[in-house]
Amino acid sequence: LPYCEDSPQLLHSITHSSIAALYQLTNDCVEVDSRSSCLGLLSTLISFVGVLGGSLSNDVLNTIVTPLPSIWENSIEQNLLLKRNVLNIISSVATLVGPDQASLLYPIALPMLNESFGKEENVFLVEEALRMWLVFLRLSNGYNGSLGALFTRAATLSKDLEHVIILMRITEYYIMHGGASFLNDHAQTIQEVLCNLVGEVRPRGLAYVALVIEALLRSYP
């Protein structure tokens, strides 16, 4: 990949030819670590294209995204770890395509996020899922009801203090960009989140909680 820094055409050619091969290799591999490495390389490749300011055609993007729901659904038992790779690939694609097209991924991404937060077996996915959630929020062109509905998960997530910082960043973003629509839909959830955290978090986490409270005061004095 470093050799592609001065040759966008070479990078595009490598990306285009590698996608099908990486998916095929993922299917052919038996060990979960090997399968995860293939999908991880695909995510890295997509991110590298974005870092260099490149782009991928819609056909290539469709080739990347189309297998992901099937991989997700079939990632059970020892293959559960592959779900983490799926989330990372979707985040990389969303970042690459930017605000104008990221919402096209909602039908695939949002159910996966909801499932990541809603099933006990997926607890290991929470950190990656929160990062992906924040990626989609930053790429949104305004408050979206489908994306907003996901915030109902915040009340349960706030009980785990391990993720308080990123959850507060997500909450602050919703408040600042969701306006009255968000508050009308989720005032009760915000209250539950703050009740779960105030008095429970350490000083560093409390600083992020304070940002949420400040955002509320600024937006709804």
Side-chain angles (χ1 to χ4, degrees), residues 69-80:
S70 177
I71 295 174
W72 179 272
E73 291 299 326
N74 290 306
S75 295
I76 57 176
E77 299 178 351
Q78 72 270 19
N79 288 311
L80 267 175

Side-chain angles (χ1 to χ4, degrees), residues 26-142:
T26 300
N27 290 330
D28 292 344
C29 287
V30 176
E31 294 184 358
V32 110
D33 287 344
S34 299
R35 303 185 74 195
S36 179
S37 294
C38 294
L39 296 178
L41 179 56
L42 178 55
S43 178
T44 299
L45 193 58
I46 298 165
S47 297
F48 200 78
V49 171
V51 167
L52 293 184
S55 61
L56 296 175
S57 68
N58 287 336
D59 287 342
V60 173
L61 291 169
N62 286 334
T63 302
I64 295 171
V65 172
T66 299
L68 296 178
S70 177
I71 295 174
W72 179 272
E73 291 299 326
N74 290 306
S75 295
I76 57 176
E77 299 178 351
Q78 72 270 19
N79 288 311
L80 267 175
L81 290 174
L82 299 183
K83 289 187 174 183
R84 182 181 292 161
N85 295 110
V86 172
L87 295 180
N88 289 333
I89 291 171
I90 292 175
S91 293
S92 297
V93 171
T95 302
L96 177 67
V97 301
D100 291 338
Q101 296 186 66
S103 60
L104 297 177
L105 295 167
Y106 285 1
I108 294 175
L110 299 190
M112 290 180 182
L113 284 176
N114 193 52
E115 185 178 326
S116 297
F117 300 138
K119 288 187 175 181
E120 186 175 350
E121 66 185 32
N122 291 333
V123 66
F124 72 97
L125 292 172
V126 169
E127 188 67 27
E128 282 77 14
L130 285 168
R131 291 195 192 103
M132 188 170 100
W133 190 0
L134 187 57
V135 165
F136 277 101
L137 281 174
R138 287 173 170 169
L139 293 172
S140 62
N141 287 318

Side-chain angles (χ1 to χ4, degrees), residues 119-194:
K119 288 187 175 181
E120 186 175 350
E121 66 185 32
N122 291 333
V123 66
F124 72 97
L125 292 172
V126 169
E127 188 67 27
E128 282 77 14
L130 285 168
R131 291 195 192 103
M132 188 170 100
W133 190 0
L134 187 57
V135 165
F136 277 101
L137 281 174
R138 287 173 170 169
L139 293 172
S140 62
N141 287 318
Y143 181 66
N144 178 281
S146 298
L147 196 55
L150 197 60
F151 192 74
T152 56
R153 293 292 186 184
T156 300
L157 291 168
S158 63
K159 295 178 181 178
D160 184 350
L161 302 183
E162 181 181 352
H163 308 296
V164 62
I165 292 176
I166 190 168
L167 183 61
M168 290 300 94
R169 292 168 66 189
I170 288 169
T171 304
E172 182 186 17
Y173 198 97
Y174 271 117
I175 293 169
M176 298 301 295
H177 296 272
S181 296
F182 171 69
L183 189 63
N184 289 336
D185 292 341
H186 299 287
Q188 180 63 37
T189 303
I190 295 173
Q191 181 181 349
E192 291 180 35
V193 168
L194 294 177

